Amino acid sequence: MKIFKDKSAASAAAAKVIVEQLENKLSQSGSASLMVSGGSTPLLCFEALSSTPISWSNIDVFLTDERDVPT
């Protein structure tokens, strides 16, 4: 477990891990997928990702909802 000094640092670290995984997948198959949640929690991570020089045209981004609610 890593403990970060604030939400910004945690978000930057998460973005770094996401980019590393996406780049790994892109190098293997030429395309990748990223599933993201909505809400305000991931906004800082999304901001960090948006400034990352990666081949976004080869990455499919999907919205997901992690909540467990009745149908």
Side-chain angles (χ1 to χ4, degrees), residues 21-69:
Q21 293 297 312
L22 289 171
E23 287 178 335
N24 183 46
K25 183 65 177 170
L26 287 170
S27 71
Q28 292 175 8
S29 66
S31 64
S33 298
L34 175 63
M35 309 251 334
V36 298
S37 294
S40 61
T41 302
L43 286 179
L44 290 176
C45 182
F46 293 161
E47 288 177 12
L49 287 172
S50 71
S51 64
T52 302
I54 190 168
S55 183
W56 288 109
S57 62
N58 295 325
I59 300 170
D60 293 314
V61 180
F62 300 95
L63 292 175
T64 185
D65 191 333
E66 75 285 357
R67 295 174 292 175
D68 183 19
V69 295

Side-chain angles (χ1 to χ4, degrees), residues 1-18 20 44-45:
M1 175 190 316
K2 291 185 180 182
I3 298 174
F4 298 93
K5 67 177 185 167
D6 56 29
K7 187 176 175 179
S8 180
S11 296
K16 181 179 177 189
V17 170
I18 291 167
E20 289 170 355
L44 290 176
C45 182

